[in-house]
Amino acid sequence: MEADYPEVKKAGKIYGSALSSGGKRAFRLTGETQNNFEEGFLYGDQKLFEILEINLEQGNSEEALTRPGSIVISESRSAKYFPNGNALGETLVLDDNPSRPYTVTGVMTDFPDNSHLDFDFLLPIEDTNMSWTSQNYFTYVLLDERSDIDELQKKMASIIENYVIPAQIQRGRDAAFIDVLKTIEYRLQPIGDIHLKSDIEMADGLEHGDIRFVWLFAAIAGFILLLAGINFINLSTAKSANRAKEVGLRKTVGAFKSNLVAQFLTESVLYSLISFVLGAILAWGLLPTFNSIAAKTIAMPWTSWWFLPILLVSGLIIGVIAGLYPAFYLSAFRPVNVLKGSIGKGAKSGRLRSGLVVFQFSTSVVLIIGTLIIYKQMDFILKKELGYDKEQVVILEGTNVLGNKAESFKNQLVELPQVQQVSLGDYLPIKGSKRNQTTFKKVSEGSENPGVLSQTWRVDYDYVKTLGIKVKEGRDFSKQFASDSINSIIINQKMAHDLNLEKPLGKQLDNNNQHWTIVGVVENFHFASLKEDISPVALTIGNDLGTVAVKISSGNVNEALASITSIWNRNVSNQAISYSFLDQRFVQMHEDVQRMGKIFNSFALFAILVACLGLFALSAFMVEQRKKEISIRIVLGAPFRSIYKLLTLDFMKLIFVSIAISVPIGWCLMNRWLEDFAYRIDIGWEVFLGAGGIALFIALLTISYRSIGAALMQPLKSLRTE
């Protein structure tokens, strides 16, 4: 790119270590014997320092990654391992390999919390087999400020034509494969868009968010603010009778309508500003709880120049918007009508108030529907048959330190009475595990078939049994067959389907000019989030020792872990055991859904609370205004049921209307959300029935508090005051 396009000033690439080892690696200082576990390793080019503006506290940014065996560490890791303050020139040992030490050539400033480039160790890319067929690297470019991005993207098509296609032809790729390559486009993305506006499942080994959720929660927050504004409008107009005489008298003594509008707007703005101050304090106090739920590190930007002005302006705008209608409504009273007593007391909800109450509860019911569907989807995910058994499987990490002891360690574990099966290997059906994708096609196929892109996992002989994967056709790997370690392959049903193999056993597949014989077909199993459909997987015998999977009995788990730890300590003296459970790792794959459910639940509760506060105030005001009417009805013999019905029926009609409006809206919105999942629930009537029932019960409870009190009051006490 630097050579072919003058717009490109610098270009460099990164490689996320999560692609190769899950990101967790054994780490120690040279001279020490005890290994620690560290995460956040990234491989990159020297030019990244200029492109990404990485600041070095120690070292020279122009040559920090120019030599093999270099490593740049973050300021926080430098403080952890080199408390004396000088890390330059110190050596480190990774993956328990003292024959390949790394020398610290720089200490970089910690990346901010809002950066998607969250790493603590930067190593040089030392791949000597670079080719135009490599797809694991992500390129960053620094462009000239005058560059036309769209024009540059069009010009980048020449990369495919001039470099990628010739390289693939040289590898022996056929015409069909070349035709597929011609459809590829390169796209440029601003670095500020990468975190929120990229594919969630991007394989760069870094965490990504989703801008849709940001807009969704911002919209919900806006609706809740609108609900509060509606409460203000409702109460202001409902209490109009209380202020009618004030308006009439002020107009009689010469006040203009503009004076009254200014007064009422000022009152509204003052309420809003006070609310914003209290809201900011509450937000600051509740932010740690929100960060815990959302797994974020958001902080209140008190010191930013724009923060307080935005709060002030927002308070003014909200105050004006909320107070505008009540101000003009109240100031429009005619003095003669007011002083004659012909202005109604606002006892009964007008059309506007009724419409606003319907809007409030419709919004609340939609949020309740969303919460229920999110929890049902999460329950579906956790209970779904995955095609493998995730229960009682312990994952030991950092096991590459075992070296040539790995097989002996496995045999010692198998001898434990609490252990059923053990498998050595880095490829597991969970996020963060090693992945490798290549292309297979039938040996008998000609150039017209481009083949099938498949995950290719190197596993041991006990992998299928340890994870409880079901063999549908043929057999599992076995040491009794010498060919299994050379050219035997097991595929899943999805791969057999995509290759159009009706009878796959014994068929041969080609992968980069290497032939494999299919000896077994396993049932499809999920190895990614349920947002993704199951894709082809091929298993071959290999030797990857980064992790060990141990299937234990369902008895005393603590006893089993103690026995495993004891064997680990006998074999590895310089590294503490590190383990996790496969079922817990599966749940972690869907933490975003759980977090969304908790946040949605909080929003729904808050929306219901705000709506009920307004409903409570309106019902209380209605009871107060109709106290004389209620007293007369009681004196004339009206029963409790009649009075209660009188005060609640109108409100309950509005709640039923709200439910009727919210059901199709909630179905439409949540159906769109579920489209992100390849495996999802069907939205049943019970969700809407439950959401409506919850809203109805809460509303009835809110109204009943004042209605029951009114129906049981002493009528003479009320009438005596008239």
Side-chain angles (χ1 to χ4, degrees), residues 468-495:
I469 299 172
K470 297 177 182 177
V471 178
K472 301 297 290 185
E473 295 182 58
R475 61 175 177 83
D476 191 3
F477 290 124
S478 172
K479 292 182 180 179
Q480 296 178 359
F481 298 90
S483 60
D484 279 4
S485 63
I486 303 172
N487 62 0
S488 292
I489 191 171
I490 294 176
I491 63 174
N492 67 345
Q493 291 173 307
K494 173 65 174 174
M495 186 168 177

Side-chain angles (χ1 to χ4, degrees), residues 675-687:
E675 287 176 359
D676 286 343
F677 293 87
Y679 303 89
R680 47 167 286 184
I681 60 170
D682 293 321
I683 304 177
W685 59 268
E686 70 279 358
V687 172

Side-chain angles (χ1 to χ4, degrees), residues 1 85 171 206-207 216 232 285 375 431 457 550 632:
M1 293 189 72
R171 289 187 65 190
L206 305 173
E207 292 293 330
L216 172 65
F232 185 84
Y375 277 107
K431 181 181 178 182
W457 295 1
V550 184
I632 293 173

Side-chain angles (χ1 to χ4, degrees), residues 138-314:
F138 293 80
T139 303
Y140 287 77
V141 293
L142 182 64
L143 301 182
D144 187 280
E145 293 178 356
R146 298 164 294 178
S147 301
D148 185 329
I149 306 298
D150 293 334
E151 188 63 29
L152 177 58
Q153 285 186 146
K154 294 176 183 177
K155 291 166 62 176
M156 288 170 64
S158 64
I159 296 175
I160 299 291
E161 298 170 4
N162 299 336
Y163 301 103
V164 179
I165 289 178
Q168 296 289 5
I169 292 176
Q170 189 176 5
R171 289 187 65 190
R173 294 296 190 181
D174 50 41
F177 189 86
I178 301 304
D179 288 339
V180 173
L181 287 179
K182 291 178 180 178
T183 65
I184 294 175
E185 294 180 351
Y186 284 115
R187 292 178 184 169
L188 297 171
Q189 182 180 40
I191 192 171
D193 292 347
I194 293 175
H195 178 64
L196 288 176
K197 298 179 182 178
S198 299
D199 184 352
I200 298 295
E201 303 299 332
M202 275 187 67
D204 60 0
L206 305 173
E207 292 293 330
H208 292 265
D210 192 338
I211 189 64
R212 294 176 301 172
F213 291 153
V214 177
W215 287 116
L216 172 65
F217 291 129
I220 293 173
F223 273 113
I224 291 175
L225 185 61
L226 187 59
L227 299 187
I230 287 171
N231 281 348
F232 185 84
I233 294 171
N234 273 341
L235 294 176
S236 297
T237 54
K239 295 174 66 176
S240 58
N242 290 3
R243 306 200 68 173
K245 288 183 179 179
E246 174 193 347
V247 173
L249 287 172
R250 292 195 62 187
K251 282 192 173 183
T252 300
V253 297
F256 293 104
K257 182 177 180 179
S258 59
N259 300 128
L260 296 171
V261 169
Q263 176 194 338
F264 293 134
L265 280 178
T266 301
E267 292 175 5
S268 173
V269 168
L270 284 174
Y271 280 127
S272 179
L273 290 175
I274 293 170
S275 299
F276 263 82
V277 171
L278 295 175
I281 295 172
L282 281 172
W284 176 66
L286 294 173
L287 195 55
T289 303
F290 175 81
N291 284 338
S292 176
I293 294 173
K296 303 297 179 186
T297 52
I298 301 171
M300 295 287 280
W302 297 111
T303 57
S304 298
W305 66 269
W306 49 266
F307 184 62
L308 293 179
I310 283 181
L311 285 184
L312 178 62
V313 172
S314 300

